[in-house]
Amino acid sequence: MDSPPRRKSGLNLPSGMTETSLRLDTFPGSVRAITCVSSPRALSSLSSPSKSSNCSDRFIPCRSSSRLHTFGLVEKGSPVKEGGNEAYSRLLKSELFGSDFSSFSSPAGVQGGSALSSPSKNMLRFKTDQSGPNSPYSPSILGYDSGISSEASTPPKPPRKVPKTPHKVLDAPSLQDDFYLNLVDWSSQNVLAVGLGTCVYLWTASNSKVTKLCDLGPHDSVCSVQWTREGSYISIGTYLGQVQVWDGTQCKKVRTMAGHQTRTGVLAWNSRILSSGSRDRNILQHDLRVSNDYVSKLVGHKSEVCGLKWSHDDRELASGGNDNQLLVWNQHSQQPILKLTEHTAAVKAIAWSPHQNGLLASGGGTADRCIRFWNTTNGHQLNHVDTGSQVCNLAWSKNVNELVSTHGYSQNQIMVWKYPSMAKVATLTGHSLRVLYLAMSPDGQTIVTGAGDETLRFWNVFPSVKTPTPVKDTGLWSLGRTHIR
C-alpha cells in the first residue's frame, strides 16, 4: 500500500533518496539502528527485519539491561518543568523521530516493557548511586547518601584543655574591692605591679622577689598602675588626682603631674603619650618630653572614666565610662570620632584585638553583662554575647585568636572565648568576690587575676606561640619566655 504524504523531516539525506521514511526496528534484547526505506512499497517489509536495508551497522544496547538509574538517565516526571516544555518536547520528538513516534510502542517481547523512551531531562546530571550496600562505590558505608559530608565523618579535634585550678596563689592584703580601679599590671620585663592601699609592690616572676616601690602616705592611696610598653617605667594614679611616673628598676620617682580634680582610676600608655582618666570625667594626655603637666584634655564622658586603652598602632584611644558610653578618639581630635551607646551599664572592660586592625571589644557592668565587638572603621557593632555576669576585664591573647574575660556579680568567674565564634573554651572559678583585676604575662600564656578576696591567682589559659616571629619595632618580646612557677 502507498504511505500517506509525509512532511519534510528537516534531515539531510543522500541525493538518491527522494522520499524517505524513518522507522526504528526493534528486536528482543537489543535495538537496531535507524532503518532506511527507499520506497513507499517497502514499508511492508518492516515486519520482517531480515529483509530491511540498513544504512548503518551501529549497535545500540538495550536500555532495559543497563543501569541507567545509577546515572540519573531515567525519565522522571517534573510537573513544574514538563508543564512549560511539553509542546517543545513533542515538536523535538517529531522532528527527530517522525510524527508517529509518540504512538509507537515496543513489542511485548522487548525486555523491560517500554525500553525505548524519549531522551531524559536528567542527561549529564550527577546522581548518587542508591543501589544499596552492595555497591563498592557507595559514598557511605550505609550504601546511600546520608547527607553527611566526608569532613564530618572525620573525628573532631579535641578541645584544648585548660587547667581548672590556678598554679599559683599570692596573698594581696588590702587589695580594694572597687570596680572603678585598675590596680594590677604585668610588664614586658616580667615584673608584676600591684597597688595595695597606699603602696605599690613589684613582684618579679622569675624569682618571686617582692620589692616595695613606693608609699604614698596616709592621706593618699593608689588607684591605678600601668607599665610602659618597654617595661622600665611605671605610672601610678592616685586618689588625690596626681599621676606619678617611677623608674621600676631604680625604684625612683621621675615625674609628678597634676591636672585631675579627684582620683585617677585608669591609665594607658602608647609609644609617647600617657593618658589618664578620672572621676572628674576628663581624660588628660601627658607627654613626659614637655614640662607641662598635660598637653591636651579630652572631654566627652558625663561620669567617671573607668576604662582606657590605646590601639596597637597608636592611632586610636578607646575610653569607657560610668555613663555607659564607649568613646573612640584619634591622635589629634579633641572630640570623639565614635560614640557607641549600646551598653546599658558602666564600660570598664576594653581590649583591642592584636590580630585585626580596628577590632575593639568592650564589656558592660551588672545591668548589661554583654561583651560587644566593634569595627571602629565604620562604627558598626559586629557581634555581642550575654555572659550572664558583670564584665570587669577583657584581654586578647596574642598567641591565638581568643580572649579572656573576668566577671563580677553574680558568678565571679573567668571565661576564655574563641573568636569570632565566641565558643567557650573554659570557665574558671576560685575567687570568692568580683574578679576586678586582670593582667597577662609577657609570653601570652599566663594570666593573673585579682579580687576583693585579697588574692592573686595565676592561670595557664593560652597556648604558646606556634611559629615565633621576630618583632620588628622595639624588640621588647625578644627577652625569651620566662616561666612563672
Side-chain angles (χ1 to χ4, degrees):
M1 98 178 46
D2 293 334
S3 63
R6 301 285 298 277
R7 65 183 181 84
K8 187 177 180 180
S9 65
L11 299 176
N12 294 327
L13 302 175
S15 57
M17 296 183 184
T18 59
E19 184 176 358
T20 301
S21 298
L22 300 179
R23 296 296 294 268
L24 295 177
D25 291 351
T26 61
F27 298 92
S30 65
V31 180
R32 296 293 293 178
I34 298 176
T35 302
C36 174
V37 183
S38 59
S39 66
R41 189 178 302 171
L43 288 175
S44 61
S45 66
L46 289 175
S47 60
S48 177
S50 61
K51 296 179 182 181
S52 63
S53 173
N54 296 333
C55 296
S56 172
D57 60 353
R58 183 165 56 88
F59 176 75
I60 302 176
C62 178
R63 294 194 177 194
S64 63
S65 62
S66 303
R67 295 174 59 196
L68 299 181
H69 64 280
T70 300
F71 306 99
L73 301 178
V74 178
E75 180 84 21
K76 293 184 180 179
S78 177
V80 177
K81 294 183 178 179
E82 289 183 355
N85 297 333
E86 186 176 358
Y88 173 79
S89 298
R90 287 199 303 268
L91 179 61
L92 181 62
K93 293 174 184 177
S94 174
E95 289 292 335
L96 293 178
F97 304 107
S99 59
D100 59 341
F101 175 77
S102 59
S103 61
F104 176 78
S105 60
S106 59
V110 176
Q111 200 174 27
S114 57
L116 291 175
S117 61
S118 61
S120 172
K121 294 182 177 64
N122 292 325
M123 187 71 71
L124 301 182
R125 293 185 182 179
F126 289 106
K127 179 176 181 294
T128 303
D129 184 7
Q130 298 184 0
S131 57
N134 294 328
S135 172
Y137 305 105
S138 177
S140 69
I141 59 175
L142 300 178
Y144 59 89
D145 187 6
S146 61
I148 303 175
S149 64
S150 59
E151 294 181 0
S153 62
T154 60
K157 184 178 179 181
R160 177 167 55 84
K161 293 184 179 180
V162 177
K164 297 294 185 179
T165 57
H167 66 81
K168 184 184 290 291
V169 179
L170 298 179
D171 289 327
S174 302
L175 186 61
Q176 297 188 53
D177 183 24
D178 192 326
F179 178 80
Y180 301 99
L181 305 186
N182 294 271
L183 297 174
V184 178
D185 194 32
W186 205 330
S187 79
S188 59
Q189 297 188 14
N190 212 11
V191 178
L192 185 70
V194 184
L196 301 176
T198 62
C199 301
V200 174
Y201 293 89
L202 306 180
W203 181 79
T204 305
S206 58
N207 55 19
S208 298
K209 179 183 177 182
V210 178
T211 303
K212 184 178 180 179
L213 177 67
C214 66
D215 189 339
L216 301 181
H219 303 293
D220 206 349
S221 62
V222 179
C223 294
S224 56
V225 295
Q226 182 74 38
W227 288 99
T228 61
R229 292 181 179 178
E230 294 78 8
S232 301
Y233 295 90
I234 184 172
S235 56
I236 302 172
T238 75
Y239 181 81
L240 296 179
Q242 291 183 342
V243 176
Q244 300 180 8
V245 179
W246 288 70
D247 185 334
T249 57
Q250 303 294 328
C251 294
K252 292 182 179 180
K253 185 191 296 185
V254 175
R255 184 86 179 265
T256 299
M257 295 170 287
H260 288 296
Q261 303 301 316
T262 182
R263 72 178 183 183
T264 305
V266 62
L267 300 165
W269 284 93
N270 69 9
S271 299
R272 307 180 313 273
I273 301 296
L274 171 62
S275 302
S276 59
S278 172
R279 183 184 275 177
D280 64 11
R281 303 173 294 180
N282 297 325
I283 300 171
L284 300 183
Q285 308 278 52
H286 311 273
D287 191 338
L288 272 63
R289 299 171 296 180
V290 300
S291 59
N292 297 335
D293 285 336
Y294 59 93
V295 294
S296 64
K297 178 188 293 187
L298 305 181
V299 180
H301 285 284
K302 301 176 182 178
S303 187
E304 180 170 8
V305 180
C306 52
L308 210 56
K309 287 290 174 64
W310 278 97
S311 62
H312 297 281
D313 58 7
D314 292 346
R315 293 183 178 181
E316 295 177 320
L317 174 68
S319 63
N322 197 30
D323 55 0
N324 307 345
Q325 288 192 101
L326 176 64
L327 305 182
V328 179
W329 318 73
N330 64 20
Q331 300 177 75
H332 310 293
S333 175
Q334 299 296 314
Q335 297 295 325
I337 59 175
L338 287 177
K339 290 186 178 182
L340 308 173
T341 58
E342 277 74 5
H343 284 291
T344 56
V347 183
K348 177 191 178 185
I350 299 174
W352 293 90
S353 170
H355 310 287
Q356 182 178 340
N357 288 334
L359 175 57
L360 177 64
S362 60
T366 307
D368 184 78
R369 307 175 305 178
C370 288
I371 300 174
R372 302 179 186 271
F373 297 91
W374 313 88
N375 181 351
T376 60
T377 303
N378 52 28
H380 292 166
Q381 183 176 231
L382 303 176
N383 190 15
H384 74 279
V385 58
D386 189 341
T387 66
S389 299
Q390 175 188 48
V391 184
C392 301
N393 291 280
L394 285 170
W396 289 87
S397 167
K398 64 175 183 176
N399 301 341
V400 290
N401 200 13
E402 298 176 2
L403 68 158
V404 60
S405 59
T406 70
H407 300 268
Y409 300 125
S410 59
Q411 301 177 37
N412 306 326
Q413 80 273 34
I414 302 159
M415 304 183 74
V416 182
W417 310 82
K418 281 186 177 295
Y419 187 83
S421 66
M422 291 308 288
K424 295 179 184 178
V425 178
T427 300
L428 309 175
T429 57
H431 286 288
S432 58
L433 293 178
R434 298 182 294 176
V435 189
L436 297 176
Y437 310 110
L438 171 68
M440 190 176 298
S441 64
D443 62 10
Q445 299 183 53
T446 303
I447 61 169
V448 59
T449 57
D453 57 10
E454 299 186 345
T455 62
L456 296 174
R457 297 171 186 261
F458 295 80
W459 315 78
N460 289 325
V461 296
F462 294 122
S464 60
V465 181
K466 295 181 180 179
T467 55
T469 55
V471 178
K472 297 180 180 179
D473 46 1
T474 59
L476 297 179
W477 306 105
S478 61
L479 300 173
R481 173 182 172 183
T482 304
H483 295 272
I484 301 175
R485 293 291 184 270

